Amino acid sequence: YEYKFDVDIQEDKNDMSTAYESRFYDEKRVLEQSSTYLQTLELVSKISSEAKKRGEYIVLKGAECSLFIAYLLGTVDINPLPMHEYCPNCKRLTFLHREGTAFDKYTPKCNCGGDMLIDGYDIPFEPNVKRILHGSIRVYVSESFFYEAQRILESENSDGADLKISIKSDSL
């Protein structure tokens, strides 16, 4: 299985793309040490996407939540980059060096006049590398989606690769 990870980080080169690309390529380099991890993450992304499309409950637990790649795939909803303000209009990015969370109740204005979005939880992935590469991804889904998640797992892994995914129903 050859995994092709094609995510367009940013079309124009600026501070945002440099910060994102750095984290992306650092993670990708580490994850490629496992022969199946990126394939596993892609499969979990498919399960997550289908669950969200159907309005079903799904959550990942464990070290994968610290991965920017998992965030880009839509597998986790938490952006692990350091807290930052981002302008969707002009793509300006400012990393914040202050106390608080991305949920603070203010909307900063960008120099271009647009509203800045606040995101980022500053979750490093480096301390979790061993758990990521040698553990399994734990996926919790709603009881009504459990068998569909199992079906996706089995049909997408037709080559029988040793993917370390554990799907559990939230009712168990």
Side-chain angles (χ1 to χ4, degrees):
Y1 181 83
E2 186 174 321
Y3 186 81
K4 300 286 186 210
F5 197 87
D6 298 318
V7 171
D8 182 21
I9 303 237
Q10 189 70 32
E11 289 179 12
D12 40 288
K13 298 290 180 195
N14 57 31
D15 289 341
M16 180 176 177
S17 63
T18 302
Y20 284 4
E21 282 182 20
S22 175
R23 175 73 179 253
F24 174 85
Y25 288 113
D26 285 350
E27 286 184 14
K28 184 176 180 238
R29 186 182 70 253
V30 168
L31 297 178
E32 286 175 333
Q33 294 174 23
S34 164
S35 61
T36 60
Y37 192 84
L38 289 173
Q39 180 184 2
T40 303
L41 200 55
E42 180 184 35
L43 181 51
V44 171
S45 175
K46 288 179 182 180
I47 294 169
S48 179
S49 176
E50 185 62 28
K52 289 176 183 178
K53 191 182 335 178
R54 294 176 180 212
E56 297 284 356
Y57 168 87
I58 183 165
V59 70
L60 258 65
K61 292 191 177 179
E64 289 71 32
C65 295
S66 67
L67 292 173
F68 182 53
I69 289 175
Y71 175 74
L72 290 175
L73 286 170
T75 305
V76 297
D77 296 326
I78 296 172
N79 184 336
L81 293 179
M83 190 187 316
H84 56 278
E85 298 171 338
Y86 164 70
C87 178
N89 297 331
C90 71
K91 312 295 188 233
R92 179 175 171 229
L93 175 78
T94 305
F95 283 95
L96 305 174
H97 303 284
R98 65 178 179 78
E99 296 295 316
T101 69
F103 296 109
D104 288 347
K105 303 281 188 221
Y106 80 100
T107 304
K109 288 285 188 192
C110 181
N111 295 342
C112 75
D115 287 340
M116 301 280 279
L117 304 175
I118 303 171
D119 201 359
Y121 290 85
D122 199 14
I123 306 170
F125 79 97
E126 295 86 354
N128 297 314
V129 168
K130 279 188 178 177
R131 282 181 280 174
I132 290 169
L133 293 178
H134 302 292
S136 67
I137 298 178
R138 296 173 306 184
V139 181
Y140 293 84
V141 298
S142 57
E143 185 175 7
S144 58
F145 187 69
F146 178 76
Y147 292 107
E148 178 62 15
Q150 290 286 6
R151 187 198 65 74
I152 293 169
L153 176 61
E154 290 167 10
S155 68
E156 293 290 330
N157 188 26
S158 59
D159 62 354
D162 182 22
L163 305 180
K164 296 179 180 177
I165 301 175
S166 170
I167 299 176
K168 299 181 187 269
S169 169
D170 64 352
S171 66
L172 298 177

